Amino acid sequence: MEFKLTKVISTHRKKNLQWLMRAFLFLFCTTVFSFSSSDVFSQHAKINIETDRTISVDEVFKLIKEQTDYRFIYTQGMFKDFPKVELKKGTIRANKLLALSLSADDFEFKVSKNKTILIFEAPKKNSVRSIPQQQISGKINDVNGQPLPGATIQLKGANKASSSDFNGNFTIAASIGDILVISYIGFTTQEIVVADDKELRIVLKESIGTLDEVQIIAYGTTTKRKSTGTISTVKAEAINQRPVDNIMQALQGQVAGLSISSSNAGLGSPPQILIRGINSITSGTNPLIIIDGVIMNENPGGLLGGRSASNNYQDGLSVLNSLNPNDIKSVDVLKDADATAIYGSRGTNGVILITTKGARIGETRVTLNVSTGISRAATVTERLNTSQYLEVRQDAFAMGNVTATSVINPITPDNFNAPDLTLWDQNAYTDYTRLEVDNPAPSYNADFSLSGGTKENNFITSVSYAKKYDTYIFDPYQERYNMRFQYNHSSKNDKLKLSINSIMGIDNQKFSTLSVGGTTAVSSVNAPNFEWYKDDGSYNYGEGQGYISGSYYNSLPNGNIDRFSKTYNTMLSGQLSYKFYKGLTGKIQVNYGSQRNSYKHIYPTPAINVQNIYQTVPEANFSTAHFQSLNIEPQLTYEANVSKASITALVGATFLNDSNKSTGNRVLDPGDDNLLFNYSAGTSTATSSSSENKFNSIFARLGIEWDDKYIANFTFRRDGSSRFGPSNRYANFGSVGLAWIFTQESWLEDSNLLSFGKLRGSIGNTGNNNIGNYGYLSLLDSPYQQYQGNAQLNPGSYANADVQWEETNKLDLGLSLGFLNDRFLLNTTYYRSLSSNLLVQLPLTSQTGFSSYTGNFDGEVQNAGVEFELTTNNLSANNPVGWKTTFNFTHNKNQLKKYDGLEESPYANTMEVGRALPSTNSRLRFLEMPYHFEGINPDNGIPIIKDANEDGRVDYYDYFNNSAWIGSSTPSTWGGMTNTVSYKGFTLDIFLQFSNGIFSKWNFWGRSIGELYNVSTDVIDNYWKQPGDVTKYPRLYTGVTGDNTYIAPLDNYYSNSTANVYKGYYIRLKNVRLAYNLPTSFLSKLHIGNAQIYVSGENLGVYTPEKLYKDPETFWPLSTGALRTITTGIQVSF
Amino acid sequence: MKNIINSQFKMWSLVLALLMTTISCNEEYLDIPLPSNALAAEGAFSSIGAIDQMMSQLHFDFADKVVARYSMNRQFEPYGDNGYNARNLNLYLTNTLTPIDEGLYSWSALYRAVFSANFLLEGLPEADAPELDEATRNEYIAAAKVVRAYAYYQLVRLYGDVPLVLSTYAKDNQFLPRSPKADVYALIEADLLEAVTKSPSTPSQAYYINNKYIPQAILADVYLTQEKWSEAEAMADAVITSGHYLLDDNIDEVFLRSSTATIMATGYSAVYSEAEKNLAYPGADQCPADLNPLFQGFFEDTMFALTEGLLNSFEPGDLRKEKWVAFSNVNDYSVPAERYFASKYKFFGYYRAFDPAPGKEEDNKFIRLAEVILIRAEARAHLNDLGGAADDLDAIRNRANLDDTTASTQGELLDAILHERRVELFFENGKRWYDLVRTGTADDVLKVLPYKTGWTADKVLMPIPKDEIDKSGNALTQNPGY
């Protein structure tokens, strides 16, 4: 006789009893896992034994039945001849007891849903099919009772499958005792034993945060249970239907170790993406982003090639804008050496693998999702109304000048120095802030997808459209068209597989001419009684009145500026694999990516504003940029099971070629606005550039699993890059990852509390080659300018033929724990990465003609930290209310570990050994090195600024200098928490996100308080009025005249001082989403499978311990920060 | 069956093995084409197109780095006694520059110009572009020598002893120490003399460095600074008597492109580029609102003005005060003298966004005939040719509607010439500052000005930037007093 095990992947015929029993327990564990714990024989089912005694097997079953709600069905007398079981006084797990009792021969176990275990003698070999087949029918629902149409029902061990219809009903031919495997995307796959011919009621549970979820890794997949590396996975649920314009925004706060921040709130601008801190001083911090195998342009803002005139949009555009967030199935973030070393020279900053939704097998299914929303500025600074404003201004003039001899020297306002007090209407009022930045902005989104097919041929296609307006004046918007098609083919014998995936997207951006980041004056701070129109209806610029340009600004001409960007994004990937020998598969993957951007900035005559002295003639700028990459990767994989070991081996190669081309054309003052589009009209200039980069690698990976307990993973990669001189092109990278699933050990299998435990560690090295192309070559380049009608050529930089890789050594230690049948899953990681052979600017004395050159330096940058991820199901599964929490937390310590001779280096002013590296965003560096504000001098109301560098004077050198450093603006701690509560058809998600850092709270523009511009309302009653006043704000200053000794601290020093810097944390209510699934009974009449309506709010609130007048994440004084967006929509599938 | 599988396996293994071998050995795969907007430095001198563009770079570097950008104009007028800045540049006004101050970009800018010149001087003699004839090659070499000489002339006057860099190989030059002034002047003279012999003798475009009168005029100045009076006299005389230059009768026309007195200007073509727009006119972006036709009603407040001392040094009836100085009505100035601004160039513009009317184009004058005449006057006075000196001086005075000089002794004449230089050349490339230093009068003149809080006699030389000293591993040394 032999046992047939229902849930063991490969059936071994060994009659080893112990092994059998362990397998039996495994059955229980996994069954528990997929069923709800109330109706199965769970691990915490315990049997109490009152005295030591010896009983028969039948009595054992009776005992179990008495103390648990389990029933056993077996033929009477089956265990008549079985030896008796000796029991000791105490408590024993039911599983263990069963194992003790059944100590011989072959039985078959069938666990059915209704707490019944069938035990019968296993049929003789080849007699399985002797049981007659019949039509088994059933219905598949989710936990909310909603039917799941299109779920796949497969007969285990047979090539037979079916799928559920619109109402979740299915039929399949099967025999009693057969196992049905029920799977559905996003849900835990379940196995059901056919016990009788009654209709099956199957409830599938959503598969978030489970251990056996697929995780995508480089050139393969793994699971949370088996991985040796540190990989975080974000599933579609957390991304889809978030009202974001870029998928990265949806990842903020979702992944331990991944920090996403945007200092520029402009719609469509790329967020800064950092995985585990800044590793490099000069050679880039962006992770490698791969979408379905297609490598994205490594500079996310790299579009807008010759963007000479787009300085208001200096960060460029994110290449991910043209991706539809609803197409995404999962995002996997690879962090440690084990996961990233196989990407070799590009793995240092981590890897983000984005996978789009795959095709479904079964009846063709249509999904439609339509939503609409409205955005407002999340934070608007309240500014003075006209009477408050005029009072402040009059006060300023009454205070007048401060001089060495007298603190108060009133000035008389006149038409020239104070037109707002003498010329303009004293009752006119415009709330310029709201007018400029808080216009209700609608958004629309629609996507449609179609998927279906057989196991051999299946497909998915989706089409989507989205448009989102910004709240700035003149309706800037972002618009996306996206189309995707995936086709998969598999040969009958499963040997040949083909997959073709294409994504095409168009991203249109209409820019706001008032977009953040520019130096152009903006109207938010206009005096509230300034008027945009004169009495005769013409535009009012305040010509001839006053003398401070830009303090009262007329934005109206800007409405005629046309700034528009269009990006075409194409990603094609194909994968062909053939299994030509047992376990041996050959594969070739070809990926092509193209991002083509065209940008125009038309500044016609009606846009000319006499206030804008930088732009006095009509002008047009056109630029194009085209990034292309072609990546070919042949691979060979081998899988085998030897004894208790399962081995996976991979060898492959990469041929990558990418290129960047850009052109720019500028037409200046062509005489007629219609000729602005004529490249040869007026004064025209053109620029062009191109560069190419090639990559060539071989890589290998060997994975060994022993007894599902010990796992080892080895990777190796040899990389060659055209970025380095011929002698330094190649380098080797590799890693070792080890994991031990200690809950598989016999001494822990009895634990009731601990259901999963894994200890893992990895060590290895990766590289960084983000130094730009051609660094090793001595080139003469044209500086894009002409002199006396001639182009110029110049050795632009000092070439260093010896430049080579920057290397990072990574160490990771992780502990993963699952408690109470994995209801609570905890994952903690300690990591440390040490970058050396740093690519930096090495100093040259200016007498050489250069100030520095790119080279390697024996310095070290370290990032060390801990990551913490927790997933909990707070209520037991039989509670009608579901409540799940996911939480992640990261603390990272970034440090310049070693840099001998830093004083002589170009970094002498901005870095210090032992300290964090300054922000990679140069604008944020101003926050890290501000003037030090030490209060307002009560005697004269002038801000006291510290002589930070102790050179005896307060000046520019007390700013933006090492001695002024107050900390890093790059977050050291961040994370997020999502709570999902579901009841019947309702699901509520609440997502909180937090981060720390240094943020700007400067919400003014211009110079000192009291000048001709509007300030925030809290200035009232908080400024210095007379000697002896102790106040928050300094004295007022008219802006008319004064002694520089006092003016400098009042305007420049004060506004750039710690008084206007917020150092701390914020917690943001990032998203709240309420969804309702319409009841099936209602939908089935309409032949609709599933329908959900939802309402979602993004950026609903933010908390900081100190009151700020702006969003902590935005740098620019007048920017609104992240938009507050309320979206409502409906999703239907049929 | 097994055989088939085996042979298939072998075949695939072979294919893959071959593939892997190809990959790992395929170095050529990594060869990439050059970017479309660059040339390899190697071989660039084989192309006349590339050489012409490198020469354009040289001219640009001269205009940008030696003359205009790092503001010999703006900074050194306040550093001396001609200019007064309304708000910024206080360090110059008060002579409180330190070795870490930003204003010292002159050092790196000048050495960048030296690099551009050295790059051409290394390449041109060996250049094998077929279209490059000997005359052109010599003209180009001469231009590079003029740029190098003038950059060193600025360096040696600003800093004293400076490193003598004569090649472009950074690693050779990185730690070069300072060479004695005499060696630097020797190089300047040798370069300029060679430029004189290699340059054409007919000026074609006034604002290109392409004729021998430019190195001659510079040499006259260099000799004057070194008190080589007869050499200075001879060089100045050669320029004045060449027959190519005439003083403008009308003082309004001196700064127009059409002026007949321009020996050298960093000029602008009719079609100006981004780069040219950044080369500010002397004081053009510093002008008060009511003097600027472009933005009536608004101004940028970093302007600088004439000092009372300069204003008062004009004699009554001097046309130059009438024509080259403007009064601002903006009432932002507490001191009356600060309301007078230099307006030698009439065509102001922040970024020179409008084209001037035909015939009204202006170029940034660098060497004018008037200066060369005053050099000859000074040299003659030192050589005791007092009559000749007075004649030269009167030529300048008469044009400004002033009577002949009343100075008669050598001392009086030298004082009169120095004064004339002040009122003729004010706000032109900091020439007043160099005069004060050259004649040894800086200390006497500046120490009595009440606002010069940081003045000491050591301030006749600039500090060497601390950064540079650090980067050189202390091969460079600091000037006394800093």
Side-chain angles (χ1 to χ4, degrees), chain B residues 33-257:
Chain B
L34 288 177
S36 62
N37 56 333
L39 278 181
E42 207 182 318
F45 282 93
S46 302
S47 145
I48 190 74
I51 293 171
D52 282 345
Q53 292 191 19
M54 289 187 268
M55 288 305 294
S56 168
Q57 179 80 47
L58 181 82
H59 291 299
F60 172 75
D61 283 348
F62 184 75
D64 180 41
K65 300 189 169 63
V66 183
V67 181
R69 172 72 73 83
Y70 300 102
S71 298
M72 301 305 143
N73 311 309
R74 294 203 278 277
Q75 296 172 358
F76 287 89
E77 292 299 326
Y79 209 63
D81 60 350
N82 273 352
Y84 195 102
N85 47 297
R87 239 182 175 170
N88 292 328
L89 297 170
N90 269 329
L91 302 177
Y92 285 85
L93 187 69
T94 54
N95 301 80
T96 47
L97 276 176
T98 69
I100 57 160
D101 284 324
E102 262 191 306
L104 301 167
Y105 286 148
S106 314
W107 176 276
S108 55
L110 289 166
Y111 271 110
R112 180 65 193 177
V114 168
F115 175 86
S116 285
N118 281 335
F119 186 72
L120 284 156
L121 290 172
E122 281 171 349
L124 284 169
E126 311 297 324
D128 53 358
E131 303 90 336
L132 187 71
D133 58 45
E134 276 316 290
T136 313
R137 187 199 306 267
N138 282 336
E139 185 189 321
Y140 286 0
I141 289 173
K145 294 249 169 191
V146 168
V147 171
R148 185 168 76 176
Y150 204 85
Y152 274 119
Y153 187 40
Q154 297 279 50
L155 280 164
V156 75
R157 288 187 295 172
L158 290 172
Y159 300 99
D161 299 347
V162 290
L164 259 188
V165 176
L166 301 172
S167 75
T168 59
Y169 189 59
K171 291 195 171 160
D172 282 353
N173 300 327
Q174 188 170 7
F175 303 110
L176 273 187
R178 299 169 72 178
S179 293
K181 270 161 75 171
D183 293 359
V184 181
Y185 274 113
L187 175 84
I188 293 168
E189 286 179 18
D191 272 356
L192 290 171
L193 286 169
E194 189 182 337
V196 172
T197 62
K198 289 196 164 155
S199 298
S201 46
T202 323
S204 52
Q205 257 177 304
Y207 36 87
Y208 262 27
I209 314 166
N210 63 353
N211 65 74
K212 68 177 186 182
Y213 311 108
I214 290 169
Q216 280 179 342
I218 298 171
L219 260 175
D221 194 25
V222 170
Y223 287 139
L224 194 73
T225 300
Q226 295 183 85
E227 304 184 350
K228 295 180 174 175
W229 312 119
S230 53
E231 288 92 334
E233 202 266 350
M235 273 302 161
D237 193 61
V239 176
I240 296 161
T241 57
S242 68
H244 292 293
Y245 309 103
L246 269 179
L247 281 178
D248 302 289
D249 292 336
N250 184 350
I251 208 163
D252 280 336
E253 291 171 1
V254 171
F255 292 93
L256 295 181
R257 179 171 295 168

Side-chain angles (χ1 to χ4, degrees), chain A residues 671-683:
Chain A
D672 185 314
D673 281 355
N674 291 319
L675 293 174
L676 280 167
F677 295 87
N678 181 347
Y679 287 1
S680 54
T683 310

Side-chain angles (χ1 to χ4, degrees), chain A residues 253-422:
Chain A
Q254 300 268 20
V255 181
L258 175 69
S259 132
I260 308 244
S261 53
S262 70
S263 60
N264 190 349
L267 207 59
S269 64
Q272 189 192 31
I273 308 165
L274 277 179
I275 296 178
R276 292 180 168 178
I278 301 170
N279 285 299
S280 179
I281 293 175
T282 60
S283 63
T285 55
N286 294 321
L288 181 67
I289 299 176
I290 299 176
I291 300 173
D292 291 335
V294 182
I295 290 166
M296 300 307 287
N297 190 342
E298 64 199 21
N299 177 7
L303 296 177
L304 297 187
R307 54 196 165 99
S308 56
S310 64
N311 55 352
N312 285 5
Y313 225 82
Q314 44 195 238
D315 290 337
L317 283 175
S318 170
V319 295
L320 300 170
N321 285 347
S322 50
L323 213 61
N324 175 10
N326 276 359
D327 274 345
I328 303 215
K329 180 185 168 195
S330 68
V331 177
D332 296 88
V333 180
L334 316 185
K335 295 178 277 196
D336 71 330
D338 179 57
T340 58
I342 202 154
Y343 287 107
S345 60
R346 295 164 302 173
T348 286
N349 296 320
V351 184
I352 298 179
L353 296 175
I354 298 173
T355 312
T356 55
K357 283 173 184 161
R360 288 172 50 263
I361 298 168
E363 237 176 290
T364 305
R365 187 181 187 208
V366 176
T367 306
L368 196 60
N369 179 29
V370 185
S371 66
T372 178
I374 189 113
S375 301
R376 295 297 293 260
T379 337
V380 177
T381 307
E382 296 297 334
R383 294 181 195 279
L384 306 180
N385 63 29
T386 302
S387 64
Q388 292 168 322
Y389 169 79
L390 294 175
E391 199 187 312
V392 166
R393 282 283 285 167
Q394 266 145 7
D395 258 18
F397 277 87
M399 245 174 252
N401 273 335
V402 58
T403 65
T405 49
S406 174
V407 173
I408 309 264
N409 287 297
I411 299 171
T412 310
D414 61 32
N415 291 357
F416 186 79
N417 64 24
D420 52 336
L421 291 176
T422 58

